[in-house]
Amino acid sequence: MTDSVPLDDLYQEIILDHFKNPRNVQKLSDEEVLIEEENPTCGDQIRVTAKVEEGCIVGIKYEAKGCAISTASASMMSEALMNKPVEDARVAIQNFTRTMKGEQEMSEDESGDLIALQGVKRYPLRIKCATMSWHALDHVLDKMSVEK
Amino acid sequence: MSCFNANTIRSDFPVLDQILYDGKPLAYLDNAATTQKPHHVIHAVQEYYEAYNSNVHRALHFLAERATVAYEETRKKVVSFIHANTERSIIYTRGTTESINLVAYSWGRKNIDEGDEIILSEMEHHSNLVPWQILAQEKKAKLCFIPVLEDGTLDLNAYTHLLSSKTKLVAITHMSNVLGTINPVQKMIDQAHQAGALVLLDGAQSVPHVSIDVSQLDVDFLAFSGHKMLGPTGIGILYGKEAILESMPPFHGGGEMIHKVELEQSTYTELPHKFEAGTPNIAGVIGFGEAIDYLEGVGMGAVQSYEQLLTQYALSKLEKISGLTIIGKALERGGAISFTCEGIHPHDLSQYLDREGVAIRGGHMCCQPLVRKFDSTALNRLSLYLYNMEQDIDQLIEALLKAKEFFKT
């Protein structure tokens, strides 16, 4: 990356790192997939599964096909919500969504890598890219709580 | 080509003369989505509002008289531009989409019955697909699709086999907004007529770029939009053969389209007003007339040959970029060029190019089935028009190379 490259508010280095080396990605069989989400306007897709033990998320795996923002966001989510109690994860999902909509600010010390995604909210057409995986996980948790 | 001066033409378009972001000039390459407007068009719209804003075909005062004349003048220009025979064949609509919906609702509901077949192609824009899906579902009719071949042309052999006595309509695009392919419509229309079917041409991408002769084509309907040919948004045309339009029931009911109205029933006025209910987009129509004058002034032949040169220049430059795949390799083609760039999502690429001053499209281009056919969900597309120059393409290529470096994994 050279200094002359613009767009660094959107494509921060940490985002490009998660895009190029997404964490917790795994090819999933159809039986494993709990939720599949698609954004028909850009064709981005995500397939997610999660493992919950004693009310705590002990595993998040996903397969994503999409842009740098959606891929990086899914990767960051899989790290941020790992080992969190389901209730806390729910709150985190809600907070993240609200931040993307510009309804609240992210707190720098709590959010880790996620802070890099703050820039996305200035690009209204890209907000869905960032929130898709979070919605998908939310639906996964819905599904698991019903099945329980 | 001798009279064609791209520099002079470009200076007629105020919006193109601007610097974006860090001193990057604007390279507008999204003309298949909408085109920019020359100051002639902008002034005509402004003049209407400043000097003679009034409703048309109603009042008898000075302003109304002038507005009505200007409004109808555009219709005459359209007749001559597409080589129609009569103003009765020219219906003002909001755009190509409304033109096609008009045919689907009015002609379609009257003439399509259970078991009838409508032939479309796999390269149709959603606007020439969804109206027919709605009609076919309502009437239990069947939609048949001409396949798109690997090179981006239509499988004409398959088309010949799809045509039968069940075929009531063939609705196809003249030029693909994704692949750039110009379809051999003269032959396809002749074949359809031999089978007893009518033909609707989606001319949204072709009418702005190539010379059209509806009389020679013998096409039954032609739909196109003003905003893709230097005119304002919200104004389009449905051309229809007079006798067919005459036989069709109205589309929208309301003012302007009536002859005599009673509480229980009404009679309708004559063509073309029968299909123009309500106060129309008067400023849009007047601006569109100015756009046609502008294109006629340059000459559609000159527009076409200049764009051919520019298209070949763009293709030759794009082909040299490694990892870049051009989607659609038809020999007969226009200046809409779609591609994918290995490892870069189309939205990331168009976002990056934007910051380099380059406006191109990323997405499914309102052709989800077609894009899926080419194993993709989204593509990038550049699309040219008469005011583009080699410098725009050079700016795109340079930005593309930088983007590849930026997103390199």
Side-chain angles (χ1 to χ4, degrees):
Chain A
M1 245 196 302
T2 62
D3 288 335
S4 67
V5 172
L7 271 184
D8 41 10
D9 53 340
L10 182 61
Y11 296 111
Q12 292 190 24
E13 206 145 348
I14 188 81
I15 292 181
L16 288 174
D17 178 53
H18 276 272
F19 165 58
K20 292 171 183 180
N21 314 290
R23 333 288 199 250
N24 300 308
V25 166
Q26 189 178 297
K27 182 114 188 89
L28 299 174
S29 68
D30 287 348
E31 299 78 62
E32 284 175 294
V33 174
L34 288 172
I35 286 289
E36 190 168 331
E37 295 239 340
E38 191 178 337
N39 181 350
T41 56
C42 55
D44 286 0
Q45 282 171 343
I46 189 158
R47 288 148 60 90
V48 190
T49 190
K51 205 170 164 194
V52 172
E53 280 171 8
E54 292 169 7
C56 194
I57 300 177
V58 295
I60 301 173
K61 296 284 176 200
Y62 63 94
E63 245 184 281
K65 207 167 96 180
C67 64
I69 303 301
S70 73
T71 307
S73 183
S75 171
M76 290 181 188
M77 174 196 75
S78 73
E79 286 193 323
L81 303 186
M82 195 80 86
N83 299 322
K84 279 214 173 191
V86 172
E87 291 317 305
D88 295 2
R90 294 278 202 178
V91 173
I93 291 169
Q94 208 179 14
N95 285 341
F96 181 77
T97 313
R98 287 173 57 86
T99 308
M100 286 298 116
K101 287 183 185 161
E103 292 168 3
Q104 70 182 52
E105 292 293 314
M106 242 181 231
S107 77
E108 201 147 342
D109 42 331
E110 283 171 28
S111 33
D113 286 0
L114 286 177
I115 198 83
L117 285 169
Q118 279 229 96
V120 175
K121 67 183 178 199
R122 283 196 293 276
Y123 298 82
L125 296 172
R126 307 300 300 273
I127 292 171
K128 269 193 180 160
C129 308
T131 53
M132 185 171 73
S133 53
W134 296 71
H135 283 305
L137 185 71
D138 205 23
H139 292 155
V140 166
L141 296 175
D142 284 345
K143 207 169 169 180
M144 295 177 93
S145 73
V146 170
E147 281 168 5
K148 210 159 44 177
Chain B
M1 282 287 290
S2 55
C3 57
F4 194 95
N5 185 332
N7 258 316
T8 315
I9 288 174
R10 197 178 178 102
S11 66
D12 286 333
F13 293 79
V15 79
L16 296 175
D17 181 25
Q18 61 179 301
I19 302 293
L20 310 179
Y21 307 114
D22 314 316
K24 303 277 172 21
L26 169 65
Y28 184 77
L29 296 169
D30 195 17
N31 294 289
T34 197
T35 58
Q36 301 302 342
K37 322 304 172 198
H39 58 76
H40 314 62
V41 169
I42 299 166
H43 289 166
V45 170
Q46 189 177 357
E47 193 196 5
Y48 161 70
Y49 282 125
E50 286 183 355
Y52 60 103
N53 173 56
S54 174
N55 213 326
V56 290
H57 290 299
R58 286 168 177 77
L60 298 173
H61 50 74
F62 178 85
L63 301 183
E65 169 83 23
R66 197 177 159 195
T68 304
V69 168
Y71 178 79
E72 287 303 325
E73 197 57 39
T74 295
R75 212 185 299 268
K76 293 182 189 146
K77 292 174 185 176
V78 175
V79 168
S80 135
F81 191 73
I82 62 170
H83 302 92
N85 295 317
T86 164
E87 290 147 52
R88 292 164 58 82
S89 280
I90 308 299
I91 317 287
Y92 292 138
T93 64
R94 282 189 297 139
T96 306
T97 300
E98 189 177 74
S99 297
I100 297 173
N101 275 280
L102 191 163
V103 177
Y105 279 84
S106 170
W107 180 87
R109 279 190 175 153
K110 187 175 174 193
N111 292 287
I112 297 292
D113 295 312
E114 186 168 347
D116 286 346
E117 295 184 356
I118 297 169
I119 298 181
L120 311 172
S121 85
E122 287 180 344
M123 65 167 73
E124 298 314 313
H125 187 281
H126 295 163
S127 61
N128 195 31
L129 174 58
V130 182
W132 307 117
Q133 292 174 343
I134 295 170
L135 177 68
Q137 277 159 17
E138 187 182 316
K139 296 287 187 175
K140 298 194 173 64
K142 188 180 167 200
L143 301 181
C144 309
F145 294 93
I146 311 165
V148 172
L149 300 170
E150 197 55 39
D151 65 354
T153 60
L154 290 180
D155 184 343
L156 297 173
N157 209 9
Y159 173 57
T160 307
H161 288 105
L162 285 174
L163 282 166
S164 76
S165 58
K166 287 184 183 166
T167 312
K168 290 290 180 296
L169 178 76
V170 176
I172 44 161
T173 185
H174 191 178
M175 187 196 295
S176 164
N177 68 313
V178 175
L179 307 164
T181 311
I182 298 179
N183 291 317
V185 289
Q186 182 74 72
K187 188 167 169 244
M188 296 177 79
I189 292 167
D190 293 346
Q191 279 182 278
H193 285 166
Q194 275 160 26
L198 299 191
V199 178
L200 176 142
L201 268 195
D202 172 355
Q205 297 296 334
S206 61
V207 177
H209 302 278
V210 298
S211 179
I212 295 275
D213 187 330
V214 289
S215 302
Q216 193 189 324
L217 283 172
D218 195 29
V219 69
D220 302 287
F221 298 107
L222 171 71
F224 57 102
S225 298
H227 74 98
K228 291 191 200 288
M229 47 190 290
L230 313 181
T233 50
I235 174 66
I237 299 293
L238 172 67
Y239 159 83
K241 281 183 184 162
E242 191 180 352
I244 300 174
L245 291 175
E246 200 75 77
S247 73
M248 287 161 49
F251 177 37
H252 293 150
E256 185 61 36
M257 54 75 74
I258 42 81
H259 177 58
K260 184 175 180 192
V261 177
E262 293 169 282
L263 284 178
E264 301 296 335
Q265 61 193 349
S266 299
T267 53
Y268 311 123
T269 192
E270 296 203 351
L271 289 175
H273 308 291
K274 180 172 96 178
F275 292 106
E276 295 176 0
T279 295
N281 179 0
I282 304 164
V285 168
I286 290 166
F288 183 42
E290 227 20 70
I292 292 174
D293 284 348
Y294 189 91
L295 288 171
E296 295 265 39
V298 177
M300 288 309 289
V303 169
Q304 194 174 352
S305 5
Y306 177 70
E307 284 181 28
Q308 284 298 325
L309 288 177
L310 214 52
T311 303
Q312 289 313 316
Y313 180 79
L315 286 170
S316 69
K317 292 275 177 176
L318 288 168
E319 276 160 4
K320 291 199 187 84
I321 297 182
S322 68
L324 189 144
T325 308
I326 294 167
I327 312 288
K329 303 256 162 109
L331 294 175
E332 285 288 316
R333 67 167 307 149
I337 306 173
S338 291
F339 59 92
T340 55
C341 208
E342 203 182 349
I344 314 180
H345 189 280
H347 279 185
D348 289 326
L349 185 59
S350 34
Q351 189 104 57
Y352 186 93
L353 295 185
D354 168 62
R355 284 304 177 97
E356 296 291 324
V358 180
I360 67 162
R361 182 71 191 274
H364 54 59
M365 265 75 82
C366 297
C367 287
Q368 289 182 9
L370 177 65
V371 173
R372 238 174 265 132
K373 169 137 188 154
F374 284 90
D375 286 331
S376 207
T377 39
L379 306 171
N380 283 113
R381 177 191 67 196
L382 73 112
S383 47
L384 304 161
Y385 210 11
L386 73 167
Y387 41 66
N388 286 123
M389 296 168 74
E390 288 185 359
Q391 70 195 45
D392 297 320
I393 294 158
D394 294 342
Q395 193 177 333
L396 163 73
I397 299 295
E398 197 183 315
L400 264 171
L401 294 172
K402 282 172 84 173
K404 276 182 56 144
E405 191 57 33
F406 185 80
F407 290 107
K408 189 171 68 184
T409 45

